[in-house]
Amino acid sequence: MNSADEVRQLLGGLDPARDSRPEDEERRTRDLARILATDRADRPARRAVPRRRLVLTAGAVVLALFAGAVVLETTRDPQPAYAATPAILTYGPPASTEPARARLRRLAEVAAGQPAPQRPAGTVEYLESANWFLNSSITGGRTTSAVVPEQWRSWRTDDNAGRQIWKALPPTFRSDEDRREWKKRGGRTNSSEKTRDYAAGEFHRWRGPVPTDATTLRAWLTAGAPAPEAPVQYLEAIAELAGVRLLNPAQRAAALRLLADLPGITVTGTVTDRAGRSGEAFSITSDAHGLPAQYTVIVDPTSGALLGYEAVLTETAGMLNVTIPAVITYRSYLVAEYATMPR
């Protein structure tokens, strides 16, 4: 299952464990409410702006990102107002003067030193995240965009069976005109929820234990698929992995060492993520997907766990009706623990 498939199989909905404590559920509810609320406020951002060449296809722009989608349609209507996008995160000074490679390796040691999570009998890997994606349709004269918040949940067994439940919340629009146009083209404007169960071996293309060596992990992530053409694609793979697999300390350390070895990775700074957690951000700027963008992972400095992933257009929006810089994808990883499989 590739990244696009994962996005179509959004997760959300069911309670993963009947014995969850009330305070756990309250915490998750607060986190989701805070993250999925679109912040319209303009805030300053400290981020590097890449100097990359814009790549366009003939007659249209196709932006193939980790979890966003651009659909090409035909219309002659005038251009609408700019689409609503989340506020840019504000990055503070780096936690140290170390370059990204050294800092990520230091965080890998922090991860490796954490205690392994206890696994009660009869439990499986459970993950939960809050996500936001910009979905747009583009033609020669008009771009119509919808802001789509999503809640993802998944349960995975050791033999790679499991369940995914995804919930797409009502999309939001910058203008009533965009909403009307979106509905006219058949776009969804209400909530939707879908469940999918997987037999043994079918849950995800990444099967078996996640490697604990960075070199082995790099090969494992791309097994059975064409080798990535750009370093940023390994960063995206790590971001995808964090959303579908419960990583133990050694596996988190391997992921951070893989990131440390990627050409072009830089320290973005310290940041409070969209769930209110403190983290350190590391980015790669690339036009590998057609438009110059900055791809960022946020790491918990106390555990080495990934807290989030973001993609931000930094130089030009092409034909997308967004203002630069513009967040076009984010994922916040909220829960990674062992839980009982829902019935």
Side-chain angles (χ1 to χ4, degrees):
M1 179 176 63
N2 57 30
S3 297
D5 291 332
E6 181 190 358
V7 171
R8 297 186 185 99
Q9 297 166 6
L10 319 173
L11 312 178
L14 296 181
D15 184 5
R18 297 188 177 186
D19 58 351
S20 294
R21 295 171 297 178
E23 57 267 30
D24 291 337
E25 186 60 31
E26 291 173 2
R27 171 180 55 80
R28 295 175 190 179
T29 300
R30 289 195 303 269
D31 286 344
L32 284 169
R34 178 169 56 251
I35 297 167
L36 295 177
T38 302
D39 185 354
R40 302 296 197 275
D42 292 327
R43 292 186 292 173
R46 294 186 58 182
R47 62 170 68 247
V49 178
R51 302 294 181 183
R52 301 287 186 176
R53 180 173 59 88
L54 175 63
V55 179
L56 301 179
T57 59
V61 176
V62 178
L63 181 60
L65 290 172
F66 170 63
V70 172
V71 181
L72 301 181
E73 301 182 21
T74 302
T75 181
R76 295 183 179 179
D77 293 340
Q79 182 73 17
Y82 286 110
T85 56
I88 300 294
L89 291 175
T90 300
Y91 295 96
S96 76
T97 59
E98 298 171 300
R101 179 183 177 90
R103 185 60 186 167
L104 282 164
R105 287 189 170 277
R106 188 177 299 277
L107 291 173
E109 294 302 317
V110 171
Q114 300 301 303
Q118 296 298 310
R119 182 175 184 177
T123 59
V124 299
E125 295 179 5
Y126 169 69
L127 294 101
E128 178 180 337
S129 61
N131 312 269
W132 183 96
F133 307 112
L134 177 67
N135 286 263
S136 299
S137 62
I138 304 175
T139 65
R142 180 186 178 91
T143 301
T144 303
S145 297
V147 172
V148 185
E150 300 168 356
Q151 179 184 354
W152 300 9
R153 294 180 182 179
S154 68
W155 296 260
R156 177 192 173 276
T157 65
D158 290 341
D159 60 355
N160 210 40
R163 173 176 294 180
Q164 293 182 321
I165 305 176
W166 61 96
K167 182 176 183 180
L169 303 180
T172 59
F173 304 85
R174 175 61 64 90
S175 67
D176 289 339
E177 182 182 4
D178 264 13
R179 177 181 292 275
R180 289 192 296 269
E181 184 66 25
W182 191 262
K183 291 179 68 175
K184 185 172 72 175
R185 300 182 187 191
R188 178 190 57 80
T189 58
N190 56 358
S191 295
S192 65
E193 185 171 301
K194 183 177 178 180
T195 299
R196 181 173 179 180
D197 290 315
Y198 299 86
E202 295 182 350
F203 178 79
H204 200 278
R205 64 187 176 92
W206 291 324
R207 303 175 182 177
V210 178
T212 57
D213 171 77
T215 301
T216 306
L217 176 61
R218 185 183 180 107
W220 183 81
L221 288 171
T222 58
E229 298 179 357
V232 71
Q233 291 172 275
Y234 285 104
L235 183 149
E236 293 175 282
I238 291 297
E240 181 182 354
L241 179 66
V244 296
R245 295 296 299 269
L246 196 166
L247 304 180
N248 65 33
Q251 293 163 343
R252 292 202 302 267
L256 293 176
R257 292 186 181 109
L258 189 159
L259 292 173
D261 290 337
L262 294 179
I265 195 160
T266 61
V267 175
T268 316
T270 53
V271 66
T272 299
D273 80 347
R274 299 186 188 275
R277 302 166 297 187
S278 298
E280 297 184 29
F282 302 87
S283 303
I284 292 179
T285 54
S286 174
D287 59 4
H289 293 306
L291 292 174
Q294 179 170 274
Y295 302 84
T296 300
V297 291
I298 301 172
V299 182
D300 184 344
T302 65
S303 67
L306 257 65
L307 300 177
Y309 161 83
E310 303 218 344
V312 178
L313 295 181
T314 54
E315 190 172 321
T316 178
M319 294 174 64
L320 292 175
N321 57 328
V322 297
T323 54
I324 300 300
V327 179
I328 51 177
T329 297
Y330 78 64
R331 301 181 66 180
S332 289
Y333 310 111
L334 301 179
V335 181
E337 63 189 19
Y338 290 110
T340 55
M341 178 76 76
R343 297 184 179 181

